[in-house]
């Protein structure tokens, strides 16, 4: 179990460090910044690379909502859930701390949004709470459904990380303007703790919506995708 939890910690660390780090450090550089497109691919690449690196150890969840969704789908044992979630959240917080240490080394550093998730006035595009809720539920549901489908035994082995990584890229392309894209409560928690204030106040949505979406996908999978 120690190896599994360590793998989840490292995988979530890499997801947050690579994804949020690209948003904080590289997205808005004058003229050569990577923008939304680059950040979207950064998130996808983090999952793709770590799924290959440690997916065989822990299953490569890196996300409390994924763990819950797999539990609902009957693909993950309940007694492991709390340990996985704790490891994921700690990995995200550690990554946010490293991003902060690097970012604060710049002479004119200002914390700003720090890639935190938000709605209303804290949504990059000014989207409402309702819009944010719908986006997070729907996108997390499809993300979990893709994970369940691509890891099923009837799919050729070894290709799942590619599908999952590309799905996460697509999700970010759609929803960065809406919420800065969470679909991952651990990722949201790490950044929110450093921003504080509004980010912590709005954090509830980025736990509730992804978990609800993943739970829905787990139920749908048992109806549509599972073998009889």
């Amino acid at each position: 179990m120690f190896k599994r939890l360590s793998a989840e910690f490292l995988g979530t660390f890499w997801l947050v460090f690579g994804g949020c780090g690209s948003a904080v450090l590289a997205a808005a550089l004058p003229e050569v910044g990577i923008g939304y497109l680059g950040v979207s691919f950064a998130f996808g690449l983090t999952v793709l690379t770590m799924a290959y690196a440690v997916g065989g150890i822990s299953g490569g969840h890196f996300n409390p909502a994924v763990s819950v969704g797999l539990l609902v789908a009957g693909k993950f044992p309940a007694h492991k859930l709390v340990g996985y979630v704790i490891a994921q959240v700690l990995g995200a917080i550690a990554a946010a701390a490293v991003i902060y240490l690097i970012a604060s080394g710049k002479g004119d550093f200002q914390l700003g949004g720090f890639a935190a998730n938000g709605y209303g006035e804290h949504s990059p595009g000014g989207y409402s709470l309702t819009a944010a809720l719908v986006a997070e539920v729907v996108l997390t549901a499809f993300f979990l459904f893709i994970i369940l489908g691509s890891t099923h035994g009837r799919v050729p082995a070894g290709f799942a990380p590619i599908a999952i990584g590309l799905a996460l890229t697509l999700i970010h392309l759609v929803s960065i303007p809406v919420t800065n894209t969470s679909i991952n409560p651990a990722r949201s928690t790490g950044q929110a703790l450093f921003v504080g204030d509004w980010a912590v106040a709005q954090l509830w949505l980025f736990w509730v919506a992804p978990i609800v979406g993943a739970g829905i996908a787990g139920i749908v999978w048992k109806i549509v995708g599972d073998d009889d």
Side-chain angles (χ1 to χ4, degrees), residues 105-126:
K106 192 169 183 287
D108 58 350
F109 170 72
Q110 293 183 356
L111 183 64
F114 199 57
N117 302 114
Y119 54 84
E121 65 178 310
H122 302 294
S123 157

Side-chain angles (χ1 to χ4, degrees), residues 107-184:
D108 58 350
F109 170 72
Q110 293 183 356
L111 183 64
F114 199 57
N117 302 114
Y119 54 84
E121 65 178 310
H122 302 294
S123 157
Y127 288 84
S128 68
L129 186 158
T130 301
L133 178 66
V134 172
E136 291 288 329
V137 169
V138 171
L139 291 170
T140 309
F142 274 93
F143 185 52
L144 198 280
F145 196 83
I146 290 165
I147 290 171
L148 288 164
S150 62
T151 55
H152 192 277
R154 59 176 166 250
V155 177
F159 290 96
I162 298 173
I164 296 166
L166 289 175
L168 191 60
T169 299
L170 175 59
I171 286 166
H172 279 78
L173 288 172
V174 171
S175 61
I176 286 178
V178 182
T179 63
N180 246 350
T181 311
S182 171
I183 76 160
N184 184 334

Side-chain angles (χ1 to χ4, degrees), residues 178-218:
V178 182
T179 63
N180 246 350
T181 311
S182 171
I183 76 160
N184 184 334
R187 167 262 190 270
S188 298
T189 300
Q191 304 306 119
L193 291 180
F194 280 83
V195 175
D197 192 24
W198 65 264
V200 172
Q202 295 189 355
L203 182 60
W204 67 271
L205 184 141
F206 303 106
W207 275 87
V208 172
I211 288 174
V212 169
I216 292 171

Side-chain angles (χ1 to χ4, degrees), residues 5-15 50 54 62 87 91:
L5 297 181
S6 297
E8 285 298 304
F9 176 92
L10 293 171
T12 312
F13 179 99
W14 187 239
L15 185 153
M50 266 300 181
V54 301
F62 317 145

Side-chain angles (χ1 to χ4, degrees), residues 25-103:
L25 302 172
L29 283 173
E31 299 181 9
V32 295
I34 61 175
Y36 284 173
L37 179 62
V39 173
S40 298
F41 272 102
F43 271 101
L45 290 171
T46 61
V47 170
L48 189 156
T49 51
M50 266 300 181
Y52 277 120
V54 301
I57 300 172
S58 68
H61 299 188
F62 317 145
N63 181 339
V66 169
S67 298
V68 171
L70 293 175
L71 172 63
V72 172
K75 306 296 183 183
F76 183 65
H79 71 273
K80 293 180 180 178
L81 179 63
V82 173
Y84 266 53
V85 171
I86 291 172
Q88 292 155 359
V89 171
L90 290 177
I93 294 171
V98 174
I99 295 169
Y100 180 84
L101 286 173
I102 296 171

